[in-house]
Amino acid sequence: MSAVTPPPRASLHRRLRMHTGYRWRNSGHPVLTWLRTAVDTRDGAVFPAVSSSLGGLSVSYSGLAEGLAYTLEFTELRRESRDGNAARRTESEISGKALRDPDRLPDSDIAIVGTSAAKARRLPTDASLIVPMRVHFVIDTDDGDSDAVRRKISKREREQFRRAMRRHEWTWAVEHDPAWFDVFYKRLYRPTMRERHGARERTETKDVSYECLFREGRMFSLSQNGKRVGGALCHWDRASRTLTLRLLGVVDGAKEHYDSGAFKAIYHFLIGWSADNGVRALDFQGTESFLSKGTYQWKRRFGTRVVLPPNHFGNKRLWFQVRSDTPEVRDFLVANPLLAEGADGALEAVYFHDADRAARIDYSAKSPGVERARHIDLDAFLATVPKGLARRAHS
């Protein structure tokens, strides 16, 4: 990989704009997170209201725009395998005030509303759950004992890493050269995002990555037999001593680097480096609150603690209501257990089941931060829901 010229230093005004935008999206300061949530969920705002039909099941999502990518698309991915067809979407808009009235939501078998935690809790409770919009996975590393921290990783994961380490002679390094940032962004990060997510990829811009992450954070490279094959770019919060993984990738997003274990190795090396270098907490960022999400199960194996996001997503929730009792609805609910907010505010894993469908406990939620598992009989949960017909919610 040949080095290329790094981005020129931005003007002071442009740098201030980038930092302001980055903090608005990512800051964990309580005043900013409260303000961001209040602005995003205000009654006067206009939100998308989208109904998606696929696999004999319709799911609507209304509210915060982030939920289209983070939530609705996930439900489509989980329904695609049923018939191989693309989702048929019906798109409209809805005001923040109208979100308070479930009768004004699109007709669908399952209705999801993305809003603030406070507003979600005021919506009807029948056949519904309050679900975190996102959760994060954090490893506490402040005891400085990297061996103890590594022992939190699942035994199987540790053994696989040790075998691959012997085979590929990986090495880990902190990087400060802007030219390496340029190579990382173009040859590792962006190709990896394209290969993993395709049209659904969500990326940070190059200028913001350079200004707000590279110049103020920590950057690393993973080498295999002396050649760089992977890397990571992290945000560093000096006050809380929290290292947050923001961008990562392998060369060209190539499958060989997944097969070799190089992609996983980035996580292992970050854990060890953090424990040895004064990091109090390592945040692997997050994913949707569905236990069937591959990222959820992947990050859980590293001995992580499940937490609400430290940024504005920590104040946001999904109101998840079932409006139609059909075999397809029941199949979807059983196949996709999720995390929900319990009556006491704690996170609990929710597994649905009925006489014909066993709970999918193979999607484990066993992690610090998940207080309990709740098994819900669908016959009881859907007792007030009409069979085979979408219905309007009622209080």
Side-chain angles (χ1 to χ4, degrees):
M1 292 180 289
S2 58
V4 288
T5 305
R9 189 180 180 110
S11 67
L12 178 60
H13 177 68
R14 180 167 167 74
R15 289 170 61 202
L16 286 173
R17 286 182 59 191
M18 286 191 285
H19 279 280
T20 299
Y22 181 83
R23 291 192 178 102
W24 183 247
R25 296 190 303 275
N26 298 295
S27 175
H29 192 285
V31 173
L32 272 178
T33 58
W34 175 86
L35 181 60
R36 171 72 192 262
T37 304
V39 170
D40 285 355
T41 63
R42 65 194 186 279
D43 282 355
V46 176
F47 299 100
V50 180
S51 182
S52 164
S53 297
L54 180 65
L57 174 66
S58 61
V59 177
S60 69
Y61 176 85
S62 306
L64 295 162
E66 298 99 328
L68 293 176
Y70 288 129
T71 303
L72 186 63
E73 287 187 359
F74 172 74
T75 72
E76 290 174 345
L77 283 170
R78 293 296 291 171
R79 288 178 283 154
E80 280 178 352
S81 60
R82 292 176 180 270
D83 54 22
N85 296 322
R88 186 176 71 257
R89 286 188 172 191
T90 302
E91 302 183 5
S92 59
E93 293 183 335
I94 190 169
S95 71
K97 186 176 181 179
L99 281 178
R100 300 183 193 176
D101 181 4
D103 284 344
R104 299 178 68 176
L105 300 176
D107 282 316
S108 57
D109 298 317
I110 296 174
I112 304 173
V113 172
T115 185
S116 69
K119 291 182 177 180
R121 292 167 189 149
R122 291 197 288 268
L123 288 167
T125 58
D126 57 312
S128 68
L129 299 169
I130 304 298
V131 178
M133 182 168 268
R134 304 275 290 167
V135 291
H136 275 213
F137 299 83
V138 174
I139 294 179
D140 300 306
T141 57
D142 58 345
D143 61 7
D145 185 345
S146 57
D147 289 336
V149 175
R150 287 190 181 97
R151 283 195 292 273
K152 297 178 183 178
I153 302 171
S154 73
K155 183 178 179 181
R156 179 181 177 185
E157 191 66 45
R158 295 198 310 268
E159 290 174 348
Q160 288 177 345
F161 174 69
R162 282 195 291 266
R163 288 196 298 270
M165 180 75 175
R166 290 192 295 269
R167 187 180 311 119
H168 300 294
E169 299 183 2
W170 288 317
T171 56
W172 186 249
V174 180
E175 300 286 351
H176 303 284
D177 187 352
W180 165 242
F181 163 84
D182 197 89
V183 173
F184 165 81
Y185 191 89
K186 290 184 177 180
R187 290 289 309 281
L188 283 77
Y189 169 61
R190 288 305 306 276
T192 297
M193 292 301 100
R194 284 194 297 270
E195 288 297 319
R196 293 182 70 193
H197 304 293
R200 292 182 169 98
E201 71 169 324
R202 300 182 291 274
T203 59
E204 190 64 83
T205 67
K206 185 177 181 181
D207 287 348
V208 170
S209 300
Y210 183 78
E211 180 64 34
C212 302
L213 293 174
F214 176 74
R215 294 187 68 244
E216 298 189 356
R218 300 289 185 272
M219 187 164 199
F220 306 91
S221 67
L222 174 73
S223 294
Q224 183 170 305
N225 299 317
K227 183 179 179 180
R228 288 170 173 154
V229 297
L233 184 55
C234 303
H235 174 84
W236 170 240
D237 186 314
R238 190 181 303 275
S240 65
R241 287 169 40 212
T242 299
L243 190 71
T244 301
L245 176 60
R246 293 288 188 199
L247 315 181
L248 78 163
V250 290
V251 174
D252 297 329
K255 183 176 181 294
E256 65 180 285
H257 300 307
Y258 289 89
D259 294 342
S260 70
F263 187 84
K264 279 192 201 178
I266 294 171
Y267 286 80
H268 285 272
F269 278 108
L270 273 173
I271 291 169
W273 186 91
S274 297
D276 292 336
N277 287 275
V279 174
R280 178 175 296 159
L282 173 61
D283 187 341
F284 281 153
Q285 287 206 294
T287 190
E288 297 82 354
S289 293
F290 290 92
L291 305 184
S292 55
K293 174 78 173 179
T295 308
Y296 188 102
Q297 294 301 323
W298 156 272
K299 293 183 178 181
R300 192 185 63 80
R301 295 174 194 158
F302 289 92
T304 49
R305 175 167 52 92
V306 178
V307 302
L308 292 174
N311 60 15
H312 61 96
F313 280 114
N315 295 333
K316 295 173 178 176
R317 299 290 186 276
L318 302 173
W319 177 70
F320 183 102
Q321 186 183 56
V322 182
R323 298 176 151 198
S324 179
D325 183 358
T326 69
E328 291 80 8
V329 167
R330 288 180 175 237
D331 288 345
F332 181 84
L333 293 174
V334 171
N336 296 284
L338 41 69
L339 291 185
E341 181 180 278
D344 59 356
L347 293 179
E348 59 184 22
V350 173
Y351 294 91
F352 290 106
H353 65 91
D354 62 19
D356 300 315
R357 301 166 180 84
R360 289 296 304 272
I361 58 175
D362 50 313
Y363 291 125
S364 177
K366 190 178 294 185
S367 299
V370 180
E371 294 299 319
R372 55 189 169 264
R374 185 157 65 105
H375 290 241
I376 298 179
D377 189 309
L378 282 168
D379 292 335
F381 186 74
L382 302 177
T384 62
V385 177
K387 290 187 179 295
L389 296 173
R391 62 137 187 162
R392 292 297 186 183
H394 56 80
S395 300

